Amino acid sequence: MLKQLMAKFLESLKSILPITVLVIILNFTPIINLSTREMIVFLVAAVFLIIGMSLFNIGADMAMTPMGEQVGTGLTKTKSLGIVLFVCFVLGLFITIAEPDLTVLAGQVKDVINGPLLIATVGVGVGLFLVLAIIRIVGRTHLSNVLMFSYLVLFAIASVVLVSGNESLIALSFDSGGVTTGPITVPFIMALGVGIATVLGGKNSNENSFGIVAMCSVGSVLAVLILSVFIKNDLTYELPNYSIEGSIFPIILSNLLTTIKDVTISLGLVVAFFFIIQSICLKLPKKKLLKIGIGILYTYFGLIIFLTAVNTGFMTVGYNLGMQLASRSNHTILIIVAFVIGLLVVLAEPAVHVLNTQVENLTEGRVTKRSVLIALSVGVGASICLSVIRIIFDFSLLYYLIPGYILSLGLSFFVPRIYTAIAFDSGGVASGPMTSTFILPFAIGACVVLQGQEKILQDAFGIVAMVAMTPLITIQLLGFRATMASIVKRRIAMRRIIEADDEQIIDFM
């Protein structure tokens, strides 16, 4: 166990160190000037981020992934599709309601939309689309067909929101799709899909096991868009307090207590569901349950440490980075730094490592961790860069989303289906707690300087949606490149065979 813990610690160190070093370097340049207090809090938070991610990754391997797979296979043993769908709806609803990332987002927009109402709406959307995702696996329908229809409906409702005068809520709606699939939801739901697809997914079970995260993200966006049509509130956004003035210990204590409550509820619901299914149909041996129990503890303490650290140390630094970079007359520096931040910050998303491991295992190494991580990094870097450009020039998020999703859905016809399924899942995975607590404050800080506080909801929000969209394109381009390379290799091999054996006569006597 110590060896495994050390390996996870080194992996987490490699993930957190790049973004930490970037902030340190920027602070020693004339571009950025963070206070000594802010830097100390940031560095201490970075250390705890590494510890928290290490514990979480071990917990995901020992508990979250096995639990999801066992629940998936256990539900199929009931041989009742109705029971499977009902349990999945309830599971999607309650896990989403307790997702820490969604709570963070709801807290930041509570003056625009009632927090509990937003969370419940997203939960219903996720529950319904989790049911739809299971139906897709059972019916063995191609993911691209379901997604194409879903996005047509989604953008049709977005146009209704636009006409209703609530355009600024479109960005928030798409952001909700990104934060829904957080560090607790992703490992469990992805593994749930693997378990169900293994039994019911047919010969393409590996391909069918992906796509559930993507469907859940669509469900949350669609639900909030529908809610946005009926909202008549004042859409003035109240800027949160990002300062860490005064004594730091009350701030840490407040964040710690809030995080303990959120993680206890969220993880508790997952564990409760697992043990209900365990008592009904799984009947796993005590030795396996003990290992899962230890993994749950690792996950629990890892998430508490990780989320407390990121909420305490990274929000303030992200906001100040955005403000100070945007205050410079040369916006090119802001755009370049935004791209680099995007490249590095995805490495610190805990659920990304869960996705990469599962991708490599299910594809038997054909799609490597490294290739997916590079594609994700480039995609997220491009998304932050494009979002900053949108803040500078103040135009609608739909100018990005409509062509972006047309391109990503179009690519699905030209790449192997496994790449499409991985790509659409990776979009939800990439937009985790680091996005909502570091990247979003970065965008808000830049928007305050460039467009004013009244434009935050319209221009700064939407950056999570961009983080969720661009990997769909970059990972499918990775698949397109692999497909073309395979075609070229086959043609070269065939030409060599023909040239070498053109005169050869084969005698079968």
Short mmCIF file of all heavy atoms in Angstrom, two decimals, residues 33-57:
data_model
loop_
_atom_site.label_atom_id
_atom_site.label_comp_id
_atom_site.label_asym_id
_atom_site.label_seq_id
_atom_site.Cartn_x
_atom_site.Cartn_y
_atom_site.Cartn_z
N ASN A 33 1.55 40.81 -9.56
CA ASN A 33 2.08 41.18 -8.25
C ASN A 33 1.11 40.70 -7.17
O ASN A 33 0.21 41.42 -6.76
CB ASN A 33 2.29 42.69 -8.16
CG ASN A 33 2.90 43.09 -6.83
OD1 ASN A 33 3.60 42.30 -6.20
ND2 ASN A 33 2.61 44.32 -6.39
N LEU A 34 1.29 39.45 -6.73
CA LEU A 34 0.47 38.91 -5.65
C LEU A 34 1.12 39.23 -4.31
O LEU A 34 2.34 39.30 -4.22
CB LEU A 34 0.34 37.39 -5.81
CG LEU A 34 -0.35 36.89 -7.08
CD1 LEU A 34 -0.26 35.37 -7.17
CD2 LEU A 34 -1.80 37.33 -7.14
N SER A 35 0.31 39.42 -3.30
CA SER A 35 0.85 39.73 -1.97
C SER A 35 1.54 38.49 -1.39
O SER A 35 1.28 37.36 -1.80
CB SER A 35 -0.27 40.18 -1.04
OG SER A 35 -1.14 39.11 -0.74
N THR A 36 2.43 38.74 -0.43
CA THR A 36 3.12 37.63 0.23
C THR A 36 2.12 36.68 0.88
O THR A 36 2.27 35.45 0.83
CB THR A 36 4.08 38.17 1.30
OG1 THR A 36 4.98 39.10 0.70
CG2 THR A 36 4.87 37.05 1.96
N ARG A 37 1.09 37.24 1.47
CA ARG A 37 0.05 36.44 2.13
C ARG A 37 -0.65 35.53 1.12
O ARG A 37 -0.87 34.34 1.39
CB ARG A 37 -0.96 37.38 2.78
CG ARG A 37 -2.06 36.70 3.54
CD ARG A 37 -3.11 37.73 3.96
NE ARG A 37 -4.09 37.16 4.84
CZ ARG A 37 -3.94 37.00 6.14
NH1 ARG A 37 -2.82 37.38 6.72
NH2 ARG A 37 -4.89 36.46 6.88
N GLU A 38 -1.01 36.09 -0.03
CA GLU A 38 -1.69 35.30 -1.06
C GLU A 38 -0.80 34.17 -1.57
O GLU A 38 -1.28 33.04 -1.80
CB GLU A 38 -2.12 36.21 -2.22
CG GLU A 38 -3.28 37.13 -1.87
CD GLU A 38 -3.51 38.21 -2.90
OE1 GLU A 38 -2.61 38.45 -3.74
OE2 GLU A 38 -4.58 38.84 -2.86
N MET A 39 0.48 34.45 -1.76
CA MET A 39 1.40 33.42 -2.26
C MET A 39 1.60 32.31 -1.24
O MET A 39 1.65 31.13 -1.60
CB MET A 39 2.75 34.04 -2.62
CG MET A 39 2.78 34.75 -3.97
SD MET A 39 2.28 33.67 -5.35
CE MET A 39 3.50 32.37 -5.25
N ILE A 40 1.70 32.66 0.03
CA ILE A 40 1.88 31.64 1.07
C ILE A 40 0.66 30.72 1.12
O ILE A 40 0.77 29.48 1.15
CB ILE A 40 2.14 32.29 2.44
CG1 ILE A 40 3.52 32.95 2.46
CG2 ILE A 40 2.04 31.24 3.56
CD1 ILE A 40 3.78 33.77 3.71
N VAL A 41 -0.52 31.33 1.12
CA VAL A 41 -1.76 30.54 1.14
C VAL A 41 -1.85 29.65 -0.10
O VAL A 41 -2.22 28.47 -0.01
CB VAL A 41 -2.99 31.47 1.24
CG1 VAL A 41 -4.28 30.66 1.07
CG2 VAL A 41 -3.01 32.20 2.57
N PHE A 42 -1.47 30.22 -1.25
CA PHE A 42 -1.51 29.45 -2.51
C PHE A 42 -0.57 28.25 -2.46
O PHE A 42 -0.94 27.13 -2.85
CB PHE A 42 -1.14 30.37 -3.67
CG PHE A 42 -1.02 29.65 -4.99
CD1 PHE A 42 -2.14 29.28 -5.71
CD2 PHE A 42 0.23 29.35 -5.53
CE1 PHE A 42 -2.03 28.61 -6.93
CE2 PHE A 42 0.36 28.69 -6.73
CZ PHE A 42 -0.77 28.32 -7.42
N LEU A 43 0.65 28.46 -1.98
CA LEU A 43 1.64 27.38 -1.94
C LEU A 43 1.25 26.29 -0.94
O LEU A 43 1.42 25.09 -1.22
CB LEU A 43 3.02 27.95 -1.60
CG LEU A 43 3.66 28.84 -2.66
CD1 LEU A 43 4.95 29.46 -2.16
CD2 LEU A 43 3.91 28.07 -3.95
N VAL A 44 0.74 26.70 0.21
CA VAL A 44 0.27 25.71 1.19
C VAL A 44 -0.90 24.91 0.60
O VAL A 44 -0.98 23.68 0.74
CB VAL A 44 -0.15 26.40 2.50
CG1 VAL A 44 -0.83 25.40 3.44
CG2 VAL A 44 1.07 27.02 3.19
N ALA A 45 -1.80 25.62 -0.10
CA ALA A 45 -2.94 24.95 -0.74
C ALA A 45 -2.46 23.95 -1.79
O ALA A 45 -3.03 22.86 -1.93
CB ALA A 45 -3.87 25.98 -1.36
N ALA A 46 -1.41 24.32 -2.53
CA ALA A 46 -0.88 23.42 -3.56
C ALA A 46 -0.35 22.13 -2.96
O ALA A 46 -0.55 21.04 -3.51
CB ALA A 46 0.23 24.13 -4.35
N VAL A 47 0.32 22.24 -1.81
CA VAL A 47 0.83 21.05 -1.12
C VAL A 47 -0.32 20.13 -0.71
O VAL A 47 -0.29 18.91 -0.93
CB VAL A 47 1.65 21.45 0.12
CG1 VAL A 47 2.01 20.21 0.95
CG2 VAL A 47 2.92 22.19 -0.29
N PHE A 48 -1.37 20.74 -0.15
CA PHE A 48 -2.51 19.93 0.27
C PHE A 48 -3.29 19.38 -0.93
O PHE A 48 -3.91 18.31 -0.84
CB PHE A 48 -3.42 20.74 1.19
CG PHE A 48 -2.92 20.81 2.60
CD1 PHE A 48 -2.21 21.91 3.06
CD2 PHE A 48 -3.13 19.75 3.47
CE1 PHE A 48 -1.73 21.96 4.36
CE2 PHE A 48 -2.66 19.80 4.78
CZ PHE A 48 -1.95 20.90 5.23
N LEU A 49 -3.25 20.10 -2.05
CA LEU A 49 -3.86 19.60 -3.27
C LEU A 49 -3.21 18.30 -3.70
O LEU A 49 -3.88 17.34 -4.10
CB LEU A 49 -3.71 20.64 -4.40
CG LEU A 49 -4.99 21.14 -5.06
CD1 LEU A 49 -5.83 21.89 -4.04
CD2 LEU A 49 -4.66 22.04 -6.23
N ILE A 50 -1.89 18.26 -3.63
CA ILE A 50 -1.13 17.06 -4.00
C ILE A 50 -1.51 15.89 -3.09
O ILE A 50 -1.76 14.78 -3.56
CB ILE A 50 0.39 17.33 -3.93
CG1 ILE A 50 0.79 18.38 -4.98
CG2 ILE A 50 1.19 16.04 -4.14
CD1 ILE A 50 2.18 18.93 -4.80
N ILE A 51 -1.57 16.16 -1.78
CA ILE A 51 -1.93 15.11 -0.82
C ILE A 51 -3.36 14.63 -1.08
O ILE A 51 -3.64 13.42 -1.13
CB ILE A 51 -1.79 15.62 0.62
CG1 ILE A 51 -0.33 15.98 0.93
CG2 ILE A 51 -2.31 14.60 1.62
CD1 ILE A 51 -0.13 16.72 2.23
N GLY A 52 -4.27 15.58 -1.25
CA GLY A 52 -5.68 15.23 -1.48
C GLY A 52 -5.88 14.44 -2.75
O GLY A 52 -6.62 13.45 -2.76
N MET A 53 -5.22 14.83 -3.84
CA MET A 53 -5.37 14.11 -5.10
C MET A 53 -4.79 12.70 -4.99
O MET A 53 -5.35 11.75 -5.56
CB MET A 53 -4.69 14.88 -6.24
CG MET A 53 -4.86 14.21 -7.60
SD MET A 53 -4.01 15.05 -8.94
CE MET A 53 -5.12 16.40 -9.23
N SER A 54 -3.68 12.55 -4.27
CA SER A 54 -3.07 11.23 -4.09
C SER A 54 -4.04 10.27 -3.41
O SER A 54 -4.26 9.14 -3.86
CB SER A 54 -1.79 11.34 -3.27
OG SER A 54 -0.88 12.25 -3.84
N LEU A 55 -4.64 10.75 -2.31
CA LEU A 55 -5.60 9.91 -1.58
C LEU A 55 -6.83 9.62 -2.42
O LEU A 55 -7.34 8.49 -2.42
CB LEU A 55 -6.00 10.61 -0.27
CG LEU A 55 -4.88 10.82 0.76
CD1 LEU A 55 -5.40 11.63 1.94
CD2 LEU A 55 -4.32 9.49 1.23
N PHE A 56 -7.31 10.63 -3.14
CA PHE A 56 -8.50 10.44 -3.97
C PHE A 56 -8.24 9.39 -5.05
O PHE A 56 -9.09 8.53 -5.31
CB PHE A 56 -8.92 11.76 -4.62
CG PHE A 56 -9.99 11.58 -5.67
CD1 PHE A 56 -11.32 11.45 -5.30
CD2 PHE A 56 -9.67 11.51 -7.02
CE1 PHE A 56 -12.31 11.27 -6.26
CE2 PHE A 56 -10.65 11.33 -7.98
CZ PHE A 56 -11.97 11.20 -7.60
N ASN A 57 -7.10 9.46 -5.73
CA ASN A 57 -6.81 8.53 -6.82
C ASN A 57 -6.72 7.09 -6.32
O ASN A 57 -7.16 6.16 -7.00
CB ASN A 57 -5.52 8.93 -7.54
CG ASN A 57 -5.71 10.16 -8.41
OD1 ASN A 57 -6.82 10.44 -8.85
ND2 ASN A 57 -4.65 10.89 -8.67
#
